[in-house]
Amino acid sequence: MKFELTNDFRERFSQAVDERDEAFIIASLEGEKPADISALLHEFETEDSKYVIDLLPSEVRADIINDLDEDIRSRFLRVFEPTEITEIVNHLDSDDAVDILNELPIKEREEVIACIDNQEKEANILDLLRYDEDVAGGLMAKELIKANLNWSVVRCIEEIRRQAENVQKLYSVYVVDDNDKLLGRVSLKKIILAEDNMHIADIYDPGVTSVETYMSEEEVAQVMRKYDLEAVPVVNMQGKLLGRITIDDVVDVITELADEERQMMSGISEDVEEADSIWMLTRARLPWLIVGVMGGFISARLIGVFEEELTRITAIAFFIPLIQATGGNVGIQSSSIVLQSLANPSAFNDSMQKRLFKVFVIAALNGAVLATLVYGGNLLTGGAVNLALVVSTALFCVVLIASLIGTITPLILHKFGFNPALASGPFITTTNDLMGLAIYFYTVHLLL
Amino acid sequence: MKFELTNDFRERFSQAVDERDEAFIIASLEGEKPADISALLHEFETEDSKYVIDLLPSEVRADIINDLDEDIRSRFLRVFEPTEITEIVNHLDSDDAVDILNELPIKEREEVIACIDNQEKEANILDLLRYDEDVAGGLMAKELIKANLNWSVVRCIEEIRRQAENVQKLYSVYVVDDNDKLLGRVSLKKIILAEDNMHIADIYDPGVTSVETYMSEEEVAQVMRKYDLEAVPVVNMQGKLLGRITIDDVVDVITELADEERQMMSGISEDVEEADSIWMLTRARLPWLIVGVMGGFISARLIGVFEEELTRITAIAFFIPLIQATGGNVGIQSSSIVLQSLANPSAFNDSMQKRLFKVFVIAALNGAVLATLVYGGNLLTGGAVNLALVVSTALFCVVLIASLIGTITPLILHKFGFNPALASGPFITTTNDLMGLAIYFYTVHLLL
């Protein structure tokens, strides 16, 4: 790296941008990796970034824009003319081109597509626009090299040469029959090592793993991870080869899914990061906080119902936090174990009864230990025997029910197509808070 | 796939294993992918799995064992003779071999290493054993193909042929000088397209990204993700080429880090999954539950201090859940935004003051909205004005302080080498619960 992404360099570069110091900018960015330039441009206003980008060669420009964060890019593309966007799109693989097109308003998208003069590119892009972003079809690129089973190795090499510029990342050549049906693959290593008089049929590997266009991005990630693949061919239901997905896109998918899960688990309702504006961060946090406050209000009403008991024995109030904290902790543990199973599914699943029975046994064990601790602790600290009994009984019940709610909620969410991580966030805490309080005060009412 | 991993197949296969039906087992596993056979074996007892594995050819056996989950594998390897393990190790890449050796007791590890007769393999393994598992040196494999800058392309192809069996995944050839210093790389595509009379120097790409042996696995993952790499060369501080890391290992790292984070955030203290035993799952959940219960006890004592106020105005107890839930939610939101930044670091960091100031402003905005809501809600539902004021004031303070604790705790943990996700779990909830209560009752004490 010629420049280092330090705060000092940012200062110096920022000054050069302010002064429109073309020579310095060109000199310091020359030969740099697009991903580094993107990281630098994230620090500047759209207008300044556009000025910098216009100084660079068009193929670098395309890669930089491809590497920008989505939210910054969509803001950024608004200052580009359709012809400029077309030029960018022309330099990118079809999957990346479609990602950018999907960020444009429909009218502008049509204008950009109309400007593409390479007919194959246009057809590829129109084909890919049909798929949702989060299925295999939406992840795949059309650029790949395929060889007919009957070709000679020499002919295959010619094809690689012809397509060399289009297909940037090349790991293997996919082998198809006359109808483009996927039959297998040949690694580049095998092609290099093959004798000139050999045919594809002699060296190809028929045991190729493929995914179908409608598979979800999670499933694609699971397949590629399980079989350690760097690329996977995408076929339609008839087995016809349509495209391929490379591991770099899947690594992004895995990272985004983890980010999304973290946000859901912590009750953040939008895709934000620390660098976002105060307004965005506040907005992303308020909804679940308000839900929590509403839960708190309902709790207040619920406790109010038992005001009489509370006035009689003030010490009841002491254990509200204990009951609630335990209910919340148990619920989140339970739902996160389900999340783990959903994220890394095993080949075989036990029946629902068996799973719930196991949850029940674990909860009973944990509940018994905690209830005993609390009972002992209460007596040791000089608490009343009957109150100690009430708290422990309520705690045991709360652990059981919080476990079941924590287990079932993510499964139901998953079943109906929602992100199950929602169940590990403030949702489960708020529900369990209320449930815990109700159980506690009902036990108090019954036993005291 | 010839067999489908269905529950029916598992039944049928299980029966065949019980009856030691060799013919059925060999016939149904032949040609299957090792990862699928591993998934199947996860369902069986060690003894039965060993029987199945012994029926398979030795190279398949090595791949199956390599694909097994770590905990199952270490149990499994106990029934293997050192010579059998040596045979497995001989078939694996050096990084995978070292992973297995690291799971063995020291004495057995030494025995296995002593049995390796390929001297190069032994040297590679001894070299890799020196590194921690979670740094670049511990992730890298020694198997790679390197070419001297002065070589001809033909000589490079000869080298690929010579090493073809050792280097299974081949994406590019690394270019070095006479002292093995890394100079660049040549993609296989370029080698295929090169003319026979060309030299490596004519076609190599000097702009290769590399990592150093001591870099953490998180950093390696960030580099590979940022530059979309399928493999990255590992060098020592003098720039000498020592090995390479392939993306499949990094995908596993990313997934494991996400799993670990999820577990920490939900207060699970061991690496468990739903399929683990009831004993393991109970044990993994108890520690943080006990911490929570202890927090609850301290809360009880704390409220006890204010028993007099509580007896005077019972309604104070109504709002304990509201204060606590909000403190918990705000704390987890704050720490998870820090986690997000630590997981996807940007090139530039604002100063600490600037970050904390931003946190403060966001907290003040959120706190003001929530306090107003609660004040209004209290009055609307016929609450007393002075109590409404106390609750809102306390809530505002709790939001401010919980934000700061939630932001600072993960940063401190990270600084001292702990997993910052710890701060998003029951730790922060328990701390904030206590802090929230203290603020609330202190406000009550002051204002009522």
Side-chain angles (χ1 to χ4, degrees), chain B residues 97-122:
Chain B
V98 167
D99 286 345
I100 287 184
L101 288 171
N102 272 326
E103 289 160 22
L104 299 176
I106 292 192
K107 183 169 162 285
E108 212 176 342
R109 189 197 302 167
E110 294 302 316
E111 281 174 12
V112 170
I113 295 174
C115 294
I116 301 175
D117 25 298
N118 179 333
Q119 285 197 345
E120 194 188 340
K121 184 123 215 166
E122 194 184 337

Side-chain angles (χ1 to χ4, degrees), chain A residues 36 164 167 169 171 189 226-228 230 261-262 266-267 274 276 285 333 336 340-341 355 358, chain B residues 36 164 167 169 171 189 226-228 230 261-262 266-267 274 276 333-334 336 340-341 355 358:
Chain A
D36 290 320
V167 184
K169 299 219 164 197
Y171 308 106
K189 186 171 87 174
K226 180 171 180 189
Y227 300 116
D228 291 344
E230 61 285 313
E261 187 182 291
R262 182 191 305 121
S266 51
E274 209 186 344
D276 285 331
R285 294 173 63 160
Q333 284 183 341
S336 105
Q340 169 89 355
S341 288
R355 286 167 83 176
K358 194 169 169 184
Chain B
D36 290 320
V167 184
K169 299 219 164 198
Y171 309 107
K189 187 171 87 175
K226 181 171 179 187
Y227 300 115
D228 291 345
E230 61 285 313
E261 186 182 293
R262 182 190 306 118
S266 51
E274 208 186 345
D276 284 331
Q333 283 183 341
S334 303
S336 105
Q340 169 90 354
S341 288
R355 285 167 84 175
K358 194 169 169 184

Side-chain angles (χ1 to χ4, degrees), chain A residues 335-363:
Chain A
S335 62
S336 105
I337 283 177
V338 175
L339 276 194
Q340 169 89 355
S341 288
L342 292 172
N344 311 307
S346 63
F348 310 100
N349 277 324
D350 284 331
S351 70
M352 201 55 183
Q353 285 107 305
K354 220 169 151 186
R355 286 167 83 176
L356 287 182
F357 177 73
K358 194 169 169 184
V359 166
F360 186 81
V361 174
I362 295 167

Side-chain angles (χ1 to χ4, degrees), chain B residues 193-208:
Chain B
L193 299 182
E195 308 293 331
D196 277 355
N197 57 3
M198 280 183 169
H199 279 72
I200 294 295
D202 306 325
I203 57 171
Y204 90 109
D205 171 13
V208 64

